[in-house]
């Protein structure tokens, strides 16, 4: 398990040139290490660093007497810190050489390099954040849209944790009643309507789960592969959706030889668009053949397919062959609408799937296509401005298990089964809900979650 007794240090800003770079320390030796390395701007080494104040000066190697960088340093004593331990932050210039020199000096004087997510892990283990809130920290860092950021901020503020704890408290009271009823005479225990309690808990869990799929999509996004035969306008469609010239476009078939990925924000939904090489029936070009193989791979990995056809031409056998490869949700995009005569009928290569008529050249039909993508991704539900509460597959799975346990307890209670059996299901639900907030999370689960964080967070 993560140690809390030593002092850890890491570079907490992205590696590379920048305006500033931050080296962060936490642990009992943070302030003494800072005093050894820091030289104030007025020249003499301070005997004591004033808490929660930015101090101007330099970080110097105390052995060589060499100045490493000009910095602003702050010392924040426990417990009013991110980790609830002493914290030091050294704000230097954002160059990798200077930051690594500062980091090396901290390591040489008693700190050790932090593990991935260890600062936030200490915040969790010291009770500043529960596990769901700690996960929200990473979600904020990785947020791709305003909606996903809003959801993560809500989770960090305890929006999910408060609701989970409320249901868990209710179930703990039910469990206490059941166990007391098992151990004592019936007339010694005040009567309690556990059927109503279990129904209320089940309804609360059902409510949380109702929007979980939408929340996960807002958090993780989806992969949409743009596929079709050569020269139907796949790359032009990508550029039009991105509102920028990202892919090379020419009149020569087969220009795209590899997959190209870009992320698009559609009404708060992160959509990773994957432009692919045109899938031809046969080719002698080994590079083009490799591109086609990658296109097929992208198609298999995609959550959604945009099958592009040329609206100005009749469907070809190649169009139908590509349509036959569709195994997941697909939208047929009939491109080159600007070349059509009025009232021209468009045939779809997929049975029961209507074509969305667009022109990648003029932008005609683009907004309609974006609406269809969002509605398809969200299973017909309109994209909501209000951020969902549940956004993590882990939380969804735990809530589903808890609901199954509650429903099993309701069934057992309704059928008049032994109270011991009802208590087993209620106890299981209590434990599962505790996994979300960390009250009953295993050591392995905690370590797995924090291992996904970057070092320095």
């Amino acid at each position: 398990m993560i140690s809390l007794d030593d002092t850890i240090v890491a570079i907490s800003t992205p590696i590379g040139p920048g305006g500033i770079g931050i080296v962060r320390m936490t642990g009992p030796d943070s302030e003494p290490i800072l005093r050894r390395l820091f030289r104030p701007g007025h020249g003499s080494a301070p005997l004591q660093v004033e808490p929660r104040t930015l101090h101007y000066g330099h970080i110097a190697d105390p052995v060589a007497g060499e100045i490493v960088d000009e910095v602003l340093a702050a010392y924040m004593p426990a417990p009013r810190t991110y980790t609830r331990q002493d914290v030091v932050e050294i704000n230097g210039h954002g160059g990798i050489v200077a930051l690594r020199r500062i980091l090396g000096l901290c390591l040489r004087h008693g700190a050790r390099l932090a593990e991935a997510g260890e600062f936030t892990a200490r915040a969790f283990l010291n009770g500043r954040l529960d596990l769901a809130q700690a996960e929200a920290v990473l979600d904020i860092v990785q947020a791709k849209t305003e909606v996903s950021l809003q959801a993560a901020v809500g989770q960090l503020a305890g929006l999910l944790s408060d609701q989970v704890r409320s249901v868990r408290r209710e179930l703990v009271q039910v469990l206490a009643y059941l166990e007391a009823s098992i151990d004592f005479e019936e007339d010694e225990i005040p009567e309690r309507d556990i059927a109503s309690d279990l129904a209320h808990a089940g309804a609360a869990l059902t409510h949380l789960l109702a929007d979980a799929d939408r929340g996960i999509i807002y958090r993780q996004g989806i992969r949409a592969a743009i596929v079709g035969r050569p020269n139907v306008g796949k790359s032009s469609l990508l550029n039009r959706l991105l509102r920028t010239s990202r892919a090379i476009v020419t009149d020569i078939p087969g220009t795209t030889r590899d997959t190209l990925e870009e992320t698009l924000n559609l009404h708060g939904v992160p959509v990773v668009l994957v432009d692919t090489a045109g899938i031809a029936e046969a080719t002698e070009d080994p590079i083009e053949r490799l591109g086609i193989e990658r296109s097929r791979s992208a198609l298999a990995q995609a959550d959604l397919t945009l099958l592009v056809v040329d609206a100005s031409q009749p469907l070809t056998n190649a169009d139908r062959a590509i349509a036959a490869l569709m195994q997941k949700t697909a939208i047929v995009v009939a491109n080159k609408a600007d070349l059509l005569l009025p009232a021209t009928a468009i045939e779809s290569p997929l049975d029961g799937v209507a074509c969305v008529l667009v022109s990648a050249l003029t932008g005609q039909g683009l907004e309609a296509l974006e609406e269809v993508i969002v509605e398809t991704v969200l299973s017909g539900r309109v994209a909501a401005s209000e951020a969902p509460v549940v956004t993590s597959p882990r939380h969804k799975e735990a809530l589903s298990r808890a609901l199954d346990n509650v429903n099993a307890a309701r069934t057992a209670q309704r059928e008049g089964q032994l109270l011991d059996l009802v208590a087993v299901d209620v106890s299981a639900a209590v434990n599962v809900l505790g996994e979300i907030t960390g009250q009953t999370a295993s050591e392995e689960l905690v370590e797995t979650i924090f291992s996904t964080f970057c070092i320095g967070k």
Side-chain angles (χ1 to χ4, degrees):
M1 197 61 179
I2 298 166
S3 171
L4 297 176
D5 300 326
D6 48 4
T7 298
I8 59 174
V9 63
I11 299 172
S12 292
T13 44
I15 300 300
I20 62 169
I22 298 175
V23 174
R24 174 194 278 177
M25 275 190 294
T26 189
D29 291 330
S30 299
E31 192 261 353
I33 292 173
L34 176 64
R35 281 194 285 112
R36 288 190 210 113
L37 304 179
F38 182 77
R39 291 184 180 178
H42 52 76
S44 60
L47 297 175
Q48 189 170 12
V49 180
E50 185 179 351
R52 295 185 178 83
T53 302
L54 276 177
H55 296 268
Y56 166 74
H58 299 85
I59 293 295
D61 184 337
V63 176
E66 178 188 3
I67 298 293
V68 173
D69 195 10
E70 183 181 35
V71 301
L72 290 172
Y75 162 60
M76 293 156 278
R80 291 166 52 199
T81 67
Y82 182 67
T83 61
R84 283 195 172 167
Q85 294 181 310
D86 288 356
V87 170
V88 162
E89 289 190 355
I90 301 170
N91 297 258
H93 293 92
I96 185 58
V97 176
L99 289 175
R100 283 184 173 170
R101 286 287 306 278
I102 296 172
L103 177 67
L105 287 172
C106 293
L107 294 172
R108 197 185 309 162
H109 286 83
R112 70 165 173 83
L113 189 64
E115 300 287 342
E118 193 169 359
F119 287 89
T120 305
R122 290 193 177 198
F124 162 66
L125 293 172
N126 287 323
R128 183 182 178 276
L129 304 171
D130 67 30
L131 195 55
Q133 290 175 305
E135 290 172 279
V137 173
L138 182 60
D139 289 346
I140 289 174
V141 173
Q142 297 181 339
K144 299 179 180 70
T145 68
E146 288 290 338
V147 178
S148 58
L149 175 61
Q150 184 183 353
V153 170
Q155 186 173 316
L156 181 60
L159 191 59
L160 172 63
S161 300
D162 289 346
Q163 296 186 52
V164 169
R165 284 200 189 92
S166 177
V167 176
R168 190 172 185 270
R169 277 195 300 270
E170 188 169 18
L171 291 175
V172 166
Q173 292 172 359
V174 171
L175 184 60
Y177 171 80
L178 289 171
E179 291 179 345
S181 299
I182 294 168
D183 294 337
F184 300 99
E185 296 291 336
E186 185 175 333
D187 55 1
E188 297 180 21
I189 307 299
E191 189 173 349
R192 184 184 182 99
D193 183 9
I194 65 170
S196 175
D197 293 333
L198 291 173
H200 184 267
L205 293 174
T206 300
H207 177 72
L208 282 171
L209 282 166
D211 223 15
D213 288 335
R214 183 174 70 94
I216 292 170
I217 288 171
Y218 279 126
R219 175 179 180 260
Q220 295 184 339
I222 60 121
R223 291 180 65 84
I226 305 175
V227 301
R229 58 185 173 85
N231 216 33
V232 292
K234 299 183 298 300
S235 296
S236 297
L237 179 63
L238 173 75
N239 289 341
R240 179 60 72 171
L241 286 168
L242 294 174
R243 272 73 171 180
T244 186
S245 182
R246 181 64 180 85
I248 297 174
V249 176
T250 73
D251 293 331
I252 303 171
T255 301
T256 302
R257 298 297 186 96
D258 201 352
T259 56
L260 175 67
E261 297 185 9
E262 287 290 340
T263 300
L264 176 67
N265 179 355
L266 284 184
H267 303 284
V269 178
V271 179
V272 179
L273 295 172
V274 185
D275 184 23
T276 66
I279 302 178
E281 294 181 276
T283 178
E284 298 300 323
D285 186 333
I287 299 178
E288 188 175 358
R289 192 160 54 242
L290 180 59
I292 291 172
E293 290 175 5
R294 293 192 177 185
S295 296
R296 291 175 180 268
S297 176
L299 179 61
Q301 296 173 15
D303 305 299
L304 174 69
T305 302
L306 302 182
L307 174 55
V308 184
V309 297
D310 189 338
S312 67
Q313 301 176 1
L315 287 179
T316 66
N317 290 333
D319 291 322
R320 295 187 176 89
I322 296 169
L325 299 175
M326 302 296 107
Q327 296 181 346
K328 300 177 183 177
T329 305
I331 298 170
V332 179
V333 183
N335 189 30
K336 304 186 182 181
D338 54 292
L339 301 179
L340 292 182
L341 295 174
T344 302
I346 305 298
E347 181 184 1
S348 173
L350 289 174
D351 293 337
V353 180
C355 295
V356 181
L357 193 61
V358 304
S359 169
L361 179 65
T362 67
Q364 175 187 339
L366 196 68
E367 291 185 4
L369 173 60
E370 292 175 344
E371 292 291 340
V372 170
I373 292 173
V374 172
E375 289 180 9
T376 302
V377 167
L378 298 179
S379 302
R381 289 170 291 181
V382 178
S385 58
E386 183 177 329
V389 175
V390 180
T391 60
S392 165
R394 184 182 85 83
H395 299 160
K396 178 191 174 184
E397 189 271 339
L399 290 168
S400 296
R401 281 191 288 136
L403 180 58
D404 289 342
N405 293 137
V406 169
N407 287 337
R410 293 181 66 189
T411 300
Q413 192 270 337
R414 190 167 52 246
E415 293 176 352
Q417 296 184 22
L418 293 174
L419 293 183
D420 304 68
L421 299 178
V422 180
V424 166
D425 290 319
V426 175
S427 177
V430 168
N431 286 331
V432 170
L433 292 176
E435 291 178 12
I436 296 176
T437 56
Q439 292 157 288
T440 58
S442 68
E443 185 175 311
E444 181 181 6
L445 174 60
V446 172
E447 290 183 347
T448 299
I449 289 173
F450 287 111
S451 68
T452 63
F453 282 57
C454 60
I455 294 174
K457 192 56 187 166

